[in-house]
Amino acid sequence: MSQMLSFWVGWRFYMARQSNRFISFISFASTAGIALGVAVLITVLSAMNGFENELEQRLLGVVPHGELTGVNEPIRDWQKIAEDAQLIEGIEGTAPFIRLQGLIQKPGGFQGLSVIGIDPAFEANVSNIAQFMDDSSWQALNQSRNNIVLGKGLADSLSLKVGDNISLYTPDFAAKKTETKRIGSAKSHRFVVAGIFDIGGELDMTTAYIPLAYGAQILGLSDGVSGVRIKVDDVFAAPRLIRSLGYSQQQYMYLSDWTRTQGHLYQDIQLVRAVMYLVLALVIAVACFNIVSTLVMAVRDKQSEIAILLTMGMAKITVMGIFVVQGALNGSLGCLIGGVLGVVIALNLSAMASLVEQALGVQLLSADVYFIDFLPSQLHWQDVLLVVSLAFIMSLISTLYPAWKASQTMPATALAGR
């Protein structure tokens, strides 16, 4: 009964706050602050979820989860490694590869390029790169010819299209030798652009693909390969699984996993998520302090009413409940507005960012710097629930002191000063 009375009187006080314009303004400011903080926090967390999802699905779908590479010599029997990998639970697939590091000429100088020789029949076991190119480009990698598939960003910067020729300069350390040192010279390899892949990020500028057999022919490896690419079912278990496979081999090998090459991206995302969560939670806390100001002023404005209620026998805990309800209504309204606004923005963040880029003629994320060139967003409803719950709890805590002060009102003093 007392709870219903507290809610009913608190509702009446809340609806009557317009009688004091200043209190009404402070109440509006607190509600708006909570709504803004909740909306921005939901949006930021969705953006961080989007970056994390793109890292896992896009970048780690193309970049191998792990690699075993021969030390100073090629791997001759990569099939044995594939057989050993099948015995380790958690490893999903293996594929051989050839790696060439070289330079391509562009206006104004040269640019480094990592050329990966792959066999489409095996590469599909460890990578989804086929999803980012058309069928003709993918089939071109089946042929033992000098075909090369370039990233869209690199092709655009060099004004290249399918059918054009391109020269790749690689070190030729076997060209000359002296008694004191080995002298390396550049060797030119001509390729035909057979296709374009479009991942939309840094890989477009720094990576290209050629047929595995042609790559082995360039390096003179015969049936050997540079290494074996590994795919695992849990990307966070990659370091452990790669070590387990590598230690079981007889040949000395370099062991590498995605945490060494791309791990900084994941750590950066988690750091930004934590910092932004803390900063925006403090923004919500500041907005909740406005509830304290609102209720303190409301208590002073309602001194006579509080005194009459206490004189009529209302319990102090019921008086506290009245102002807790009044503050909770402020917090609930802010959480509701902020939650709806945050969800709407998060669901349309990528499209909104694209419109801003088109309107202002700027690019928010550059493929030369980031691993993607668009602003991703992925809404997790548990994030919405967590943010809204946090804001509501903070708004409830903000009501306790003003509500306690209201319950300590002395009826005689309050009525005497009326």
Side-chain angles (χ1 to χ4, degrees):
M1 183 64 181
S2 62
Q3 289 88 349
M4 291 300 299
L5 181 60
S6 295
F7 180 81
W8 183 77
V9 176
W11 173 259
R12 292 293 300 270
F13 281 5
Y14 177 78
M15 296 305 295
R17 71 190 190 281
Q18 288 84 358
S19 60
N20 188 318
R21 291 178 179 268
F22 186 66
I23 295 177
S24 179
F25 174 76
I26 297 297
S27 177
F28 169 78
S30 64
T31 302
I34 293 173
L36 183 61
V38 168
V40 173
L41 186 50
I42 291 174
T43 302
V44 169
L45 289 179
S46 297
M48 293 300 102
N49 293 335
F51 276 108
E52 188 173 334
N53 180 69
E54 292 298 326
L55 174 66
E56 183 174 352
Q57 299 298 326
R58 182 179 294 261
L59 186 60
L60 293 184
V62 176
V63 174
H65 297 164
E67 289 183 352
L68 272 62
T69 310
V71 178
N72 298 326
E73 61 178 347
I75 296 176
R76 298 296 179 186
D77 188 11
W78 69 267
Q79 293 86 351
K80 174 65 166 54
I81 299 177
E83 294 172 359
D84 293 341
Q86 293 178 355
L87 303 177
I88 300 178
E89 184 178 359
I91 295 182
E92 290 189 344
T94 57
F97 73 92
I98 298 290
R99 177 177 286 121
L100 291 172
Q101 299 290 349
L103 296 173
I104 57 172
Q105 192 167 11
K106 65 176 185 177
F110 292 86
Q111 176 174 327
L113 186 65
S114 178
V115 180
I116 309 297
I118 62 173
D119 185 336
F122 297 105
E123 187 66 16
N125 298 329
V126 298
S127 171
N128 60 1
I129 184 61
Q131 298 177 12
F132 302 99
M133 64 178 73
D134 56 36
D135 291 338
S136 60
S137 301
W138 184 245
Q139 293 303 321
L141 297 174
N142 269 319
Q143 306 170 11
S144 300
R145 299 173 54 188
N146 61 332
N147 294 329
I148 188 169
V149 178
L150 299 176
K152 185 176 184 300
L154 181 60
D156 290 344
S157 68
L158 299 178
S159 299
L160 293 172
K161 60 182 183 299
V162 174
D164 289 347
N165 293 322
I166 185 175
S167 293
L168 176 73
Y169 298 92
T170 61
D172 184 14
F173 292 108
K176 296 180 181 179
K177 292 183 181 180
T178 65
E179 294 182 358
T180 58
K181 62 180 180 179
R182 175 182 292 182
I183 301 176
S185 62
K187 187 175 182 180
S188 175
H189 306 279
R190 184 167 293 275
F191 291 94
V192 177
V193 178
I196 305 292
F197 68 88
D198 184 10
I199 298 177
E202 183 184 3
L203 288 179
D204 280 8
M205 301 294 296
T206 60
T207 306
Y209 294 93
I210 62 173
L212 178 72
Y214 191 77
Q217 178 183 336
I218 291 176
L219 295 180
L221 299 183
S222 182
D223 58 346
V225 295
S226 299
V228 179
R229 295 153 73 94
I230 311 294
K231 181 180 180 181
V232 299
D233 55 5
D234 179 8
V235 294
F236 296 105
R240 174 179 58 83
L241 295 175
I242 299 304
R243 284 197 302 269
S244 178
L245 177 61
Y247 292 164
S248 66
Q249 304 305 309
Q250 299 298 320
Q251 180 179 347
Y252 288 109
M253 297 180 183
Y254 290 117
L255 310 181
S256 178
D257 59 80
W258 72 271
T259 61
R260 297 187 179 184
T261 58
Q262 310 295 335
H264 63 284
L265 294 174
Y266 180 79
Q267 296 298 331
D268 290 346
I269 292 172
Q270 298 306 311
L271 177 61
V272 171
R273 182 202 296 271
V275 171
M276 294 304 297
Y277 199 99
L278 176 61
V279 170
L280 293 174
L282 292 176
V283 170
I284 297 175
V286 171
C288 288
F289 275 113
N290 285 336
I291 294 179
V292 177
S293 303
T294 302
L295 292 182
V296 167
M297 297 182 68
V299 168
R300 293 180 62 86
D301 190 53
K302 302 293 185 182
Q303 283 285 319
S304 300
E305 289 83 347
I306 296 171
I308 292 172
L309 291 173
L310 289 172
T311 302
M312 293 175 64
M314 179 177 283
K316 291 186 176 182
I317 189 68
T318 305
V319 174
M320 285 187 63
I322 292 172
F323 291 94
V324 169
V325 168
Q326 190 173 346
L329 288 172
N330 269 334
S332 299
L333 183 60
C335 291
L336 177 62
I337 295 173
V340 172
L341 185 61
V343 168
V344 171
I345 294 175
L347 292 175
N348 299 278
L349 183 61
S350 297
M352 293 169 63
S354 179
L355 289 175
V356 170
E357 289 180 340
Q358 294 177 11
L360 300 180
V362 299
Q363 189 173 15
L364 299 179
L365 297 178
S366 173
D368 296 336
V369 180
Y370 303 96
F371 67 94
I372 54 176
D373 57 1
F374 63 96
L375 186 60
S377 178
Q378 185 177 49
L379 181 67
H380 290 172
W381 289 105
Q382 58 266 33
D383 288 339
V384 177
L385 180 61
L386 177 62
V387 172
V388 171
S389 300
L390 173 66
F392 182 70
I393 291 173
M394 293 173 69
S395 66
L396 280 183
I397 293 174
S398 301
T399 66
L400 296 181
Y401 175 73
W404 176 79
K405 288 294 290 183
S407 69
Q408 301 303 308
T409 299
M410 303 299 294
T413 304
L415 293 174
R418 184 173 180 178

